[in-house]
Amino acid sequence: MTACPPGRRLVVPGKQNISIWLTLAIGVLAAILGTLVAGALGSGSSLLIGESALPEEVSAVHTALLSTPGVDRIIHLRTMHLGPEELLVAAKIAVSASDNGASIAATIDDAEARLRQALPTAKVVYLEPDIDRQRSVACFSRLV
């Protein structure tokens, strides 16, 4: 072996590309593991997190809220899965202008209880009361 001039490396035949081969092997291993994990999840399944509720869950929310005395209609509703067994429900509900604070609070408590009974995955529930200013709107109206 000879001494290397300054700024030069001593090249040993066959070992100069070992870091390239190791990097390539790690990349191939990561690709194989990624494919296996994707296959285990299945092509049709999803993780649900961030997705809105299923149509039957939304229907259960409507039924539970509209069956509550004091809730005139649902003004708007948003749902989102926070996990596989955890659903966030946020709704703006119409209440009568003549209701006082205590009766509105009791209505909200009753609506939350009915909602959680009908849909146990509804872990986080936000209900905002509002005075019904659009009684003529038929969407989500209570049938009389």
Side-chain angles (χ1 to χ4, degrees):
M1 223 187 299
T2 60
C4 288
R8 299 278 184 178
R9 268 184 7 183
L10 179 63
V11 177
V12 178
K15 293 194 176 187
Q16 67 267 22
N17 294 327
I18 193 154
S19 64
I20 294 172
W21 289 110
L22 288 175
T23 302
L24 183 61
I26 291 170
V28 169
L29 181 63
I32 290 170
L33 287 175
T35 303
L36 291 174
V37 168
L41 290 177
S43 60
S45 77
S46 69
L47 295 177
L48 292 177
I49 297 173
E51 292 183 6
S52 61
L54 298 171
E56 57 269 16
E57 292 172 319
V58 172
S59 178
V61 170
H62 283 162
T63 302
L65 293 178
L66 292 176
S67 71
T68 306
V71 175
D72 295 336
R73 71 182 181 95
I74 299 171
I75 297 170
H76 62 79
L77 171 69
R78 299 291 180 265
T79 60
M80 182 174 67
H81 280 279
L82 302 176
E85 295 296 320
E86 187 174 4
L87 183 66
L88 176 138
V89 176
K92 189 173 205 176
I93 56 173
V95 296
S96 174
S98 63
D99 288 348
N100 63 23
S103 68
I104 291 173
T107 297
I108 289 173
D109 290 343
D110 187 19
E112 285 182 12
R114 289 171 186 255
L115 177 57
R116 288 193 172 102
Q117 183 178 13
L119 194 63
T121 57
K123 305 286 187 201
V124 181
V125 178
Y126 297 108
L127 298 178
E128 177 187 355
D130 198 359
I131 296 170
D132 195 358
R133 294 179 182 90
Q134 298 179 350
R135 289 193 182 270
S136 62
V137 176
C139 185
F140 303 127
S141 294
R142 181 180 299 201
L143 298 175
V144 181

